Amino acid sequence: MIKNKSTYEIMTPESVGLARSALDAGIVLGKHSGRNAVATRLRALGYGDVADDQARFARVFSRFKQVAEKKKGGLEDDDLEALVSDEAFQQQAGRALWQLVGVQVTTGSGVLPTATVEMLGPDGVRRVAATTGTGPVDATYKAIDDLTHVDVTLESYDLEAVTAGIDALATTTVTLAPKPGTQLESTWLSHTGERGVKRFKASGSDTDVVVSSARAYVAAVNKLLSWNLRWGGPAGPAAPSAAA
């Protein structure tokens, strides 16, 4: 039935002067879309390596279903590409030392912004922290710091909407650096012999701005912790590159 487009298309893209990829199924991806439809669209967008990798596709499809449940009107190609990028950043963080389980915030005029964050730790135990902040994202980040016991500086925070609309997918990119003098302070050795502070960049996507911000922050924290585990922290060998 899906192969026969006349069963669900009122008119074809070609009839109104639009082109369509040979791999395009011609249907909007939404919460009822299955694995085959998502994999087909990924291949059409040039992500055949993701669609053919069982583990990577499972992670992307899981995130797709989570977002599709909240986003009305289905996901556009840009949304799907943002989810692929999100999955890539989460994996770049190395071993998932900490996993975000849930975030709940209370904010508004005359209300002290409060965030309650639940995370799954490296030991498989779920932990919850509630903190206040100058805003919902700030409170969320402080709660994550409390749970992961990291002492970092947020050097950059960038938020952009992937598509238009009130339920657009948001992508957050953050850069973290351990505070000087802390146990997790990370340095790298340049080709000139000079040492610099290691910075960790990560991204996260979701229809909820706070959730996308939290996913990006957790991914960056995991990269920081993984780096220290790999290189033995401040006392370990110098790393080969400044980029993370």
Side-chain angles (χ1 to χ4, degrees), residues 123-211:
D123 54 2
V125 176
R126 292 194 178 196
R127 295 176 175 83
V128 178
T131 60
T132 59
T134 58
V137 173
D138 179 59
T140 299
Y141 285 178
K142 288 180 178 177
I144 295 173
D145 289 345
D146 288 348
L147 290 171
T148 59
H149 301 291
V150 299
D151 196 3
V152 297
T153 299
L154 178 63
E155 295 200 338
S156 69
Y157 174 92
D158 181 68
L159 176 68
E160 62 178 11
V162 177
T163 53
I166 194 170
D167 59 350
L169 197 68
T171 294
T172 305
T173 303
V174 301
T175 302
L176 304 181
K179 291 184 178 179
T182 61
Q183 184 179 1
L184 292 176
E185 183 179 7
S186 306
T187 59
W188 57 274
L189 191 63
S190 70
H191 66 282
T192 61
E194 297 179 353
R195 284 191 174 275
V197 176
K198 181 72 176 176
R199 291 167 174 81
F200 301 87
K201 184 177 181 180
S203 176
S205 298
D206 197 88
T207 53
D208 188 303
V209 170
V210 175
V211 175

Side-chain angles (χ1 to χ4, degrees), residues 23-40:
L23 294 175
D24 189 356
I27 57 178
V28 175
L29 296 179
K31 63 181 181 180
H32 299 300
S33 299
R35 298 174 66 90
N36 184 62
V38 175
T40 298

